[in-house]
Amino acid sequence: MSFAMDYETMKQALKDRLKATRFRHSLGVSETAVRLARRFGVDEQQARVAGLLHDCAREFPNEAMIAEAEKRHLPIGTVERSMPLLLHGPIGSRRVREIYGVDDPAVEQAIARHTVGGEHMTPLDKIIWFADMIEPNRDYPGVEKLRKLAREATLDEMLLEGLSDSIAFVLAKRHLIHPDTVLARNEILLKMKKEA
């Protein structure tokens, strides 16, 4: 793990690239990720940086996401071609090295997976995914229930509820569900059944 910039320098560089509301959200995810990392015994510095930079590729407009992903030789599935915004996680995982001097595969992976999840998520992956849902600037029906889980439930219980809510929200909007989200949810359910 190595960071070429200190946190404050990263923060200023990010502020210069994002809209004010997106930057405020990023600070909220960073702070929330640190609290969750402390609770679950995960590296706080990795959580702070991954939380801060998770949306760093949102500086690109939606219509530029496919070209930015192709430029970095990232895989683009049919769901991403239909919904290019989903590529901001994988693109961001490369931007952290390009722009912010982050050389940390765990941070890069957590950023890549923060939108749709995936199989074999690490505790850091789960924390960034969940922090993105519950940071203080989020305001939607059910967010307080998720914040309560963040204080009381296990990491997998939190993630299962968050993934279930996310899938229900996407279904209600009649949008495509990314297969990685289904894989992440099924993996947690199977693990819980095995442990029961």
Side-chain angles (χ1 to χ4, degrees), residues 122-160:
T122 67
L124 180 63
D125 295 344
K126 294 173 183 180
I127 283 169
I128 300 306
W129 193 94
F130 202 79
D132 189 25
M133 280 193 90
I134 66 160
E135 62 92 8
N137 300 293
R138 292 286 198 199
D139 184 19
Y140 58 87
V143 70
E144 289 305 327
K145 171 192 72 173
L146 296 176
R147 288 179 178 139
K148 186 172 189 286
L149 288 175
R151 296 187 298 272
E152 299 172 0
T154 68
L155 191 51
D156 280 346
E157 288 167 344
M158 287 165 39
L159 200 71
L160 179 61

Side-chain angles (χ1 to χ4, degrees), residues 22-102:
R22 180 67 47 191
F23 178 68
R24 189 166 55 251
H25 164 71
S26 298
L27 293 178
V29 174
S30 183
E31 292 161 12
T32 303
V34 169
R35 281 198 306 275
L36 291 172
R38 194 170 296 138
R39 180 166 180 240
F40 293 109
V42 171
D43 187 287
E44 291 179 33
Q45 186 181 18
Q46 287 178 316
R48 178 177 284 112
V49 170
L52 177 70
L53 299 178
H54 79 286
D55 268 352
C56 67
R58 291 297 295 269
E59 69 179 275
F60 299 118
N62 205 21
E63 58 273 12
M65 293 290 181
I66 289 175
E68 291 296 332
E70 287 172 342
K71 190 189 308 181
R72 291 166 180 82
H73 309 289
L74 292 164
I76 305 170
T78 53
V79 175
E80 291 90 353
R81 286 209 183 272
S82 177
M83 303 171 69
L85 182 61
L86 295 178
L87 291 166
H88 80 272
I91 295 166
S93 74
R94 301 289 174 86
R95 294 292 282 169
V96 294
R97 191 180 291 255
E98 296 166 4
I99 303 295
Y100 303 93
V102 173

